[in-house]
C-alpha cells in the first residue's frame, strides 16, 4: 500500500498544466522582433582655447608639429609634498656640518627631475630656466594649459634663478646603466644644483637653499606639519620653463627637492638625504604654447577630423537622434555601435613624432569641461571610453544605447542636445587588491602628451561614411 501511495503522488506531481512549458524552455527573445538599421552621422573638428592641465605628469621641452608647422613648448610649475608626522631632519645637535657660527648647514642641495618618457631626440640640446615662486599658486581654482605663472606674477624676482642646458640621454653613462634603462629599470633625470648662496625674503643669507630649509625646520617645525603649511610658509614651489632648444618633449614623473647633509650617531658620521617631492598629490600646472592660427587652420579642414593634444583639437559628433527613434518610439535599443577609423598619416615625420592617443572619451557636448573639472568617471550613460586597436586601426564604442536614450529624453533642451565630443584622455587604472587581477578606472584626465590622429569623417569626407549601427528590440505583443 505504501508503494502504491508513493507512485500515485509521483503521477499527480507530473500532471500539471503544460500550456506554458514552451515559454519556460524557450528564450525570451522569441517574444520579440529584432531589427537593425544604420544611420550616417556627421563629424567636424572643434578647437578649445585650452584644456584642464590636471595630469599625473608634467611636460617640459619643445618640438615642431609636422602637421601644423608650429612649435609646441611645454613648461610646468610644481609645489612639493611632505609626509606628515615624521622627522624631516635629524636633531639639530647631531648635524656635523657647521658654519663659522657653529650653525648647522647642508652640504648640498639640488632639484632632480625624473623623466618617465620622452618623444623626439634624446640627444637634442635643450635649455630651461628654473625660477622660485614668490607666493603659492592658489589651489582653489581650476588651471588650464594657457595659465602662465610668469605672466600672472607668481615668480620671485630676487629669488632663485637658474639656467640649465641638458639632454635626456647622457653618453657618459656606463653600459650597466644603459642596460637598465633599456629594460625600463632606470629613469633618466635632469639635475639642477641649488648650491649658490640663497637669501630669503627676510634678508637672511644661507650658503645654499638646503641650509635655508634646514634652518626653517629647526626654527619653525610647525611649518612642516603638512604640504599646505610647507607651501605657504617655506617653499611656494618652482617654475620650469623651456627657453631654447628643439626636438624633445619630456614626460616628467616627479620632481624632487633633495638636501644632503651629515650627522653623527654615537661616533659614526652618517650621510643623510632629505627629499621633498612634487607629484600629483600637490598642485602642479602645465603650460603649453603653440601657434593658434595654424591649429585653427588645420581644424578647418573638412576632408577628415582631428584629435590633437595638447592643442585641444577634438572631434564633434552629431547624432541623428530623431531619425534613430522615428517609428521606434516604444522599442528598446539594445545596441548602438560606432567605429571611428584612423586615416594613415600623410607625413612620415608624423609617424616618428606624433603617436595616436591610446584612449578616447566620448561625452555629451555640454559636459566638455565639467566632466574633467568635477573629476567624473565614465558611466556608460553619458560618457564612454574606447581604446585604440592597432589591428583594426580604429576606436570602437561597442554599445552606447544608454547615450541614445539619454539624448532622446533630453531632446531640444539645449542647443547641443544631440552632439557628442571625442577627446584624447589619460586613463589611470587601479586594482581592487594586491592579489586581484581585476582593475577599474581610477581617473580620467585630458591627454597632455603630444599626440595626434586623423579620423575618417568631416563634411567633405571622401571615404565610407561614419555610421552608427542600431539594433532594436520590439515586443510582439506591443
Amino acid at each position: 500500500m505504501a508503494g502504491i501511495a508513493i507512485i500515485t503522488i509521483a503521477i499527480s506531481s507530473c500532471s500539471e498544466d503544460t500550456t506554458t512549458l514552451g515559454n519556460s524552455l524557450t528564450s525570451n527573445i522569441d517574444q520579440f522582433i529584432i531589427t537593425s538599421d544604420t544611420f550616417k552621422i556627421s563629424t567636424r573638428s572643434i578647437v578649445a582655447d585650452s584644456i584642464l592641465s590636471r595630469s599625473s605628469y608634467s611636460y617640459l621641452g619643445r618640438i615642431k608639429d609636422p602637421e601644423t608647422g608650429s612649435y609646441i613648448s611645454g613648461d610646468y610649475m610644481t609645489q612639493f609634498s611632505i609626509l606628515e608626522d615624521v622627522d624631516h631632519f635629524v636633531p639639530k645637535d647631531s648635524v656635523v656640518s657647521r658654519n663659522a657660527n657653529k650653525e648647522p648647514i647642508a652640504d648640498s642641495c639640488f632639484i632632480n627631475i625624473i623623466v618617465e618618457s620622452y618623444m623626439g631626440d634624446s640627444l637634442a640640446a635643450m635649455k630651461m630656466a628654473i625660477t622660485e615662486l614668490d607666493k603659492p599658486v592658489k589651489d582653489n581654482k581650476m588651471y588650464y594649459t594657457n595659465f602662465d605663472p610668469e605672466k600672472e606674477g607668481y615668480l620671485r624676482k630676487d629669488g632663485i634663478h637658474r639656467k640649465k642646458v641638458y639632454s635626456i640621454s647622457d653618453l657618459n653613462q656606463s653600459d650597466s646603466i644603459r642596460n637598465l634603462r633599456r629594460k625600463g629599470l632606470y629613469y633618466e633625470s635632469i639635475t639642477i644644483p641649488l648650491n649658490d648662496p640663497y637669501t630669503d625674503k627676510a634678508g637672511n643669507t644661507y650658503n645654499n637653499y638646503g641650509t635655508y630649509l634646514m634652518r626653517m625646520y629647526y626654527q619653525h617645525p610647525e611649518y612642516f606639519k603638512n604640504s599646505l603649511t610647507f607651501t605657504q610658509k617655506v617653499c611656494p614651489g618652482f617654475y620650469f620653463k623651456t627657453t631654447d632648444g628643439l626636438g624633445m618633449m619630456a614626460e616628467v614623473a616627479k620632481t624632487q627637492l633633495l638636501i644632503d647633509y651629515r650627522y653623527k650617531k654615537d661616533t659614526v658620521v652618517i650621510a643623510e638625504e632629505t627629499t621633498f617631492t612634487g607629484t600629483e598629490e600637490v598642485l602642479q600646472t602645465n603650460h603649453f604654447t603653440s601657434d593658434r592660427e595654424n591649429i585653427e587652420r588645420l581644424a578647418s579642414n573638412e576632408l577628415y577630423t582631428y584629435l590633437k593634444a595638447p592643442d585641444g583639437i577634438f572631434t564633434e559628433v552629431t547624432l541623428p537622434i530623431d531619425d534613430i527613434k522615428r517609428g521606434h518610439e516604444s522599442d528598446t535599443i539594445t545596441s548602438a555601435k560606432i567605429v571611428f577609423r584612423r586615416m594613415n598619416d600623410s607625413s612620415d615625420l608624423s609617424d616618428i613624432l606624433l603617436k595616436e592617443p591610446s584612449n578616447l572619451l566620448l561625452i555629451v557636448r555640454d559636459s566638455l569641461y565639467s566632466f574633467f573639472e568635477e573629476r567624473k568617471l565614465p558611466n556608460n550613460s553619458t560618457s564612454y571610453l574606447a581604446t585604440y586597436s592597432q589591428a583594426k586601426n580604429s576606436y570602437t564604442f561597442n554599445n552606447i544605447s544608454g547615450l541614445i536614450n539619454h539624448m532622446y529624453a533630453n531632446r531640444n533642451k539645449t542647443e547641443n542636445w544631440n552632439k557628442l565630443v571625442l577627446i584624447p584622455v589619460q586613463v589611470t587604472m587601479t586594482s581592487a587588491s594586491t592579489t586581484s587581477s581585476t582593475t577599474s578606472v581610477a581617473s580620467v584626465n585630458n591627454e597632455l602628451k603630444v599626440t595626434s590622429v586623423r579620423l575618417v569623417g568631416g563634411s567633405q569626407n571622401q571615404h565610407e561614411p561614419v555610421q552608427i549601427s542600431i539594433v532594436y528590440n520590439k515586443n510582439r505583443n506591443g
Side-chain angles (χ1 to χ4, degrees):
M1 293 296 293
I4 294 173
I6 293 173
I7 293 172
T8 302
I9 294 172
I11 293 173
S12 64
S13 299
C14 296
S15 63
E16 296 178 354
D17 183 6
T18 59
T19 57
T20 61
L21 184 60
N23 285 344
S24 66
L25 297 179
T26 305
S27 171
N28 288 335
I29 198 170
D30 290 341
Q31 302 177 43
F32 296 91
I33 299 174
I34 298 176
T35 60
S36 62
D37 205 346
T38 58
F39 301 87
K40 294 180 181 180
I41 62 178
S42 61
T43 61
R44 69 184 183 106
S45 298
I46 60 174
V47 181
D49 61 346
S50 59
I51 57 179
L52 192 65
S53 71
R54 184 188 296 133
S55 173
S56 302
Y57 301 100
S58 301
Y59 295 87
L60 183 69
R62 179 183 291 128
I63 66 170
K64 184 177 181 179
D65 185 340
E67 293 171 330
T68 63
S70 64
Y71 297 97
I72 304 173
S73 292
D75 319 310
Y76 75 96
M77 181 285 305
T78 185
Q79 298 172 356
F80 294 94
S81 63
I82 63 173
L83 298 175
E84 298 184 22
D85 301 322
V86 299
D87 296 325
H88 299 288
F89 293 95
V90 299
K92 181 178 178 179
D93 293 340
S94 65
V95 178
V96 171
S97 299
R98 302 274 170 167
N99 63 7
N101 296 324
K102 305 299 182 182
E103 296 173 305
I105 60 174
D107 294 324
S108 64
C109 178
F110 57 95
I111 289 175
N112 203 31
I113 299 174
I114 307 297
V115 177
E116 172 82 10
S117 63
Y118 65 91
M119 64 185 321
D121 183 2
S122 64
L123 297 177
M126 307 298 297
K127 187 176 181 179
M128 68 171 149
I130 305 95
T131 308
E132 175 190 7
L133 268 61
D134 183 64
K135 56 186 177 182
V137 174
K138 298 178 181 179
D139 60 358
N140 60 351
K141 61 178 292 187
M142 302 292 175
Y143 292 97
Y144 282 71
T145 52
N146 58 358
F147 171 72
D148 186 347
E150 185 174 12
K151 290 183 178 179
E152 297 296 326
Y154 279 98
L155 305 189
R156 184 182 171 191
K157 296 181 179 179
D158 57 349
I160 293 176
H161 292 269
R162 297 285 185 276
K163 297 185 184 299
K164 175 71 175 182
V165 177
Y166 68 97
S167 62
I168 293 298
S169 292
D170 184 356
L171 297 180
N172 295 319
Q173 289 176 342
S174 64
D175 291 339
S176 59
I177 292 295
R178 293 183 187 180
N179 288 332
L180 289 174
R181 186 175 69 245
R182 281 192 288 268
K183 295 177 181 179
L185 302 175
Y186 175 85
Y187 292 101
E188 301 287 2
S189 62
I190 306 166
T191 302
I192 302 104
L194 300 180
N195 293 319
D196 293 338
Y198 173 75
T199 302
D200 65 16
K201 292 182 180 180
N204 301 308
T205 300
Y206 310 86
N207 67 307
N208 59 42
Y209 189 70
T211 298
Y212 158 74
L213 295 173
M214 290 182 69
R215 299 277 182 83
M216 291 296 289
Y217 176 77
Y218 293 133
Q219 295 171 13
H220 298 283
E222 70 275 13
Y223 292 173
F224 292 73
K225 178 182 178 181
N226 52 47
S227 298
L228 179 61
T229 56
F230 181 73
T231 300
Q232 292 177 337
K233 300 292 186 179
V234 182
C235 175
F238 284 82
Y239 185 50
F240 303 84
K241 180 178 180 179
T242 299
T243 57
D244 202 357
L246 178 66
M248 191 284 305
M249 182 73 73
E251 187 175 60
V252 177
K254 57 185 176 181
T255 307
Q256 299 173 318
L257 179 58
L258 304 122
I259 304 97
D260 292 324
Y261 60 96
R262 291 166 294 152
Y263 73 98
K264 180 177 288 188
K265 185 176 182 180
D266 297 328
T267 59
V268 180
V269 175
I270 301 172
E272 183 67 18
E273 186 172 74
T274 295
T275 303
F276 304 112
T277 305
T279 64
E280 60 181 326
E281 281 74 27
V282 290
L283 182 61
Q284 293 179 310
T285 64
N286 284 281
H287 174 235
F288 290 97
T289 57
S290 56
D291 190 329
R292 303 308 297 178
E293 183 177 341
N294 284 339
I295 292 171
E296 293 279 357
R297 185 183 301 113
L298 187 73
S300 66
N301 191 319
E302 298 177 347
L303 293 173
Y304 30 75
T305 66
Y306 271 101
L307 294 170
K308 288 180 73 66
D311 294 323
I313 300 183
F314 308 140
T315 291
E316 183 186 80
V317 181
T318 302
L319 296 184
I321 299 298
D322 288 332
D323 293 339
I324 293 173
K325 293 293 290 185
R326 186 175 293 114
H328 298 277
E329 289 80 0
S330 60
D331 296 349
T332 301
I333 297 178
T334 58
S335 177
K337 177 180 178 180
I338 305 180
V339 178
F340 294 99
R341 289 176 293 131
R342 176 184 185 269
M343 295 184 65
N344 293 327
D345 288 328
S346 59
S347 169
D348 292 337
L349 188 58
S350 297
D351 291 329
I352 299 172
L353 283 181
L354 301 183
K355 181 177 174 58
E356 71 280 340
S358 298
N359 301 288
L360 295 187
L361 176 72
L362 183 67
I363 59 174
V364 294
R365 179 70 170 81
D366 290 330
S367 62
L368 174 60
Y369 296 102
S370 62
F371 180 91
F372 300 102
E373 291 182 351
E374 297 172 11
R375 298 178 183 269
K376 293 181 179 180
L377 297 177
N379 59 12
N380 293 330
S381 175
T382 57
S383 53
Y384 296 78
L385 279 175
T387 302
Y388 176 68
S389 170
Q390 190 77 38
K392 297 181 179 180
N393 200 34
S394 62
Y395 302 88
T396 301
F397 293 89
N398 281 304
N399 191 359
I400 61 169
S401 56
L403 184 56
I404 304 297
N405 295 328
H406 170 84
M407 298 175 81
Y408 184 67
N410 292 275
R411 62 191 182 280
N412 299 318
K413 289 185 178 180
T414 66
E415 179 183 357
N416 298 313
W417 69 274
N418 61 343
K419 292 179 173 57
L420 307 170
V421 183
L422 275 175
I423 306 171
V425 290
Q426 294 176 346
V427 178
T428 302
M429 306 297 292
T430 183
S431 177
S433 67
T434 55
T435 59
S436 173
S437 60
T438 303
T439 60
S440 59
V441 177
S443 66
V444 176
N445 295 313
N446 285 108
E447 178 65 83
L448 298 184
K449 181 186 290 186
V450 180
T451 58
S452 180
V453 65
R454 290 190 305 156
L455 299 177
V456 172
S459 61
Q460 302 299 319
N461 173 35
Q462 299 177 2
H463 302 270
E464 182 180 343
V466 184
Q467 298 183 109
I468 182 169
S469 303
I470 304 292
V471 176
Y472 302 97
N473 207 338
K474 181 177 182 177
N475 195 311
R476 290 179 183 273
N477 301 318

